[in-house]
């Protein structure tokens, strides 16, 4: 039986490859995402695109309760080594994992030539206001999961989005799929990750980022409560060869996919814009 490329098994390292030849680029999804959701980011990129499902996503078992960015980094390191990727893109959770690998000096990542951080995770913690909002959101998710209230969980997820985005059919479908995954799979083991920072030692991480020789793209959008633009600015400022792109609200997942693809192709494949 042919294996579904969106749900590869353990025999493939939970990875699917598209395209062929060099360069090889690894693509990692965010929390509640999977290969299916990451494919638009890989569309049109030259060479071989390797997409991975991390634990608790896309049919891959959870690594257990209480994930950390160290957990994510270990899985991404294995995927980088197995795929021999020289470039990488991480969305949110995976962006944090890649940042942790690079700044920890992991040999699977320090030699990467190009890295795109999409909706990057925080390195240095959150303001008291942002942390309080994150904590309240995590507590609401856990409460709705415990009570079995799917409708309330859907409302809680949509409430984190800008009003003009929350009403979009694709956004509502995305949130509904996330509700199902949180209730019906072991993805809920990682809910607390939203309160963590990506790196083990922020001061040392900034020093290591300053020594990174690869090119970096940081891509974000406005008015995202889970991914403040200030975090993206700090991430871009940490790398000497970084550029920052800030798009209008809702662009990354729903409203600006063609622009996202243009930016990524310009970065990875040196296409003129």
């Amino acid at each position: 039986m042919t294996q579904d490329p969106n749900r590869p098994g353990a025999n493939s390292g939970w990875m699917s490859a598209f395209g062929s030849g060099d360069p090889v680029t690894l693509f990692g999804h965010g929390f509640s995402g999977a290969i299916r959701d990451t494919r638009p980011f890989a569309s049109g990129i030259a060479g071989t695109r390797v997409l991975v499902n991390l634990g608790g996503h896309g049919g891959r078992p959870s690594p257990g309760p209480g994930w950390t960015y160290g957990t994510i980094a270990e899985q991404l390191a294995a995927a980088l080594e197995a795929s021999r990727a020289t470039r990488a893109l991480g969305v949110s959770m995976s962006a944090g994992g890649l940042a942790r690998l690079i700044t920890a000096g992991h040999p699977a990542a320090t030699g990467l030539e190009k890295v795109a951080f999409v909706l990057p995770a925080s390195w240095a913690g959150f303001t008291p206001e942002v942390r309080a909002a994150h904590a309240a959101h995590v507590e609401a998710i856990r409460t709705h999961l415990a009570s079995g209230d799917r409708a309330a969980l859907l409302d809680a997820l949509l409430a984190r989005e800008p009003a003009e985005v929350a009403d979009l059919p694709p956004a509502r479908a995305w949130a509904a799929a996330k509700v199902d995954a949180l209730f019906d799979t072991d993805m809920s083991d990682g809910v607390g990750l939203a309160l963590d920072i990506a790196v083990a030692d922020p001061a040392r991480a900034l020093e290591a980022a300053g020594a990174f020789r690869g090119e970096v793209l940081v891509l974000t959008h406005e008015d995202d409560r889970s991914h403040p633009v200030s975090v993206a600015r700090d991430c871009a400022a940490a790398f000497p060869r970084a550029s920052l792109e800030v798009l209008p609200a809702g662009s990354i997942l729903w409203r600006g996919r063609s622009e996202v693809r243009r930016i990524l192709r310009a970065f990875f494949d040196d296409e003129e814009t």
Side-chain angles (χ1 to χ4, degrees):
M1 183 173 65
T2 303
Q3 183 169 269
D4 182 352
N6 292 310
R7 297 176 69 87
N11 63 315
S12 65
W14 310 100
M15 296 184 292
S16 288
F18 304 87
S20 62
D22 293 326
V24 178
T25 310
L26 179 73
F27 294 81
H29 58 79
F31 184 75
S32 81
I35 284 175
R36 185 185 302 277
D37 307 287
T38 319
R39 290 178 72 165
F41 296 104
S43 175
I45 302 298
T48 303
R49 287 94 64 197
V50 178
L51 282 65
V52 62
N53 279 335
L54 300 180
H57 298 79
R60 181 174 179 175
S62 166
W67 305 351
T68 67
Y69 278 104
T71 310
I72 307 306
E74 289 174 4
Q75 296 173 55
L76 288 170
L80 286 167
E81 290 168 344
S83 65
R84 299 184 180 180
T86 59
R87 317 183 310 176
L89 177 147
V91 180
S92 187
M93 176 179 75
S94 290
L98 287 172
R100 191 181 184 100
L101 288 176
I102 291 169
T103 58
H106 195 290
T110 53
L112 288 170
E113 297 168 0
K114 293 190 177 188
V115 180
F117 298 112
V118 180
L119 302 174
S122 176
W123 287 21
F126 311 97
T127 66
E129 294 79 12
V130 170
R131 182 167 183 81
H134 281 7
H137 182 58
V138 168
E139 182 60 28
I141 289 175
R142 287 174 170 157
T143 297
H144 300 321
L145 287 172
S147 67
D149 194 337
R150 292 182 183 240
L153 180 54
L154 177 64
D155 289 342
L157 296 178
L158 290 171
R160 297 279 285 178
E161 303 296 332
E164 68 271 25
V165 171
D167 289 334
L168 293 174
R172 297 189 68 85
W174 170 84
K178 187 171 182 177
V179 167
D180 290 342
L182 283 165
F183 270 102
D184 302 333
T185 76
D186 52 14
M187 190 183 80
S188 58
D189 284 346
V191 166
L193 194 68
L195 298 175
D196 290 345
I197 62 172
V199 298
D201 186 326
R204 290 185 179 180
L206 286 173
E207 182 179 350
F212 183 61
R213 296 183 178 180
E215 294 181 55
V216 170
L217 169 68
V218 182
L219 179 59
T220 190
H221 55 195
E222 297 172 335
D223 201 17
D224 186 329
R225 296 182 187 180
S226 298
H227 305 95
V229 172
S230 60
V231 170
R233 289 199 182 101
D234 290 343
C235 180
F239 291 94
R241 301 179 65 197
S243 60
L244 172 66
E245 294 276 359
V246 182
L247 300 178
S251 292
I252 303 296
L253 296 179
W254 305 295
R255 305 177 80 186
R257 285 194 171 187
S258 61
E259 179 66 0
V260 169
R261 287 193 292 268
R262 182 194 66 78
I263 292 169
L264 292 176
R265 285 197 293 265
F267 173 67
F268 281 117
D269 299 339
D270 298 316
E271 292 187 2
E272 293 186 5
T273 59

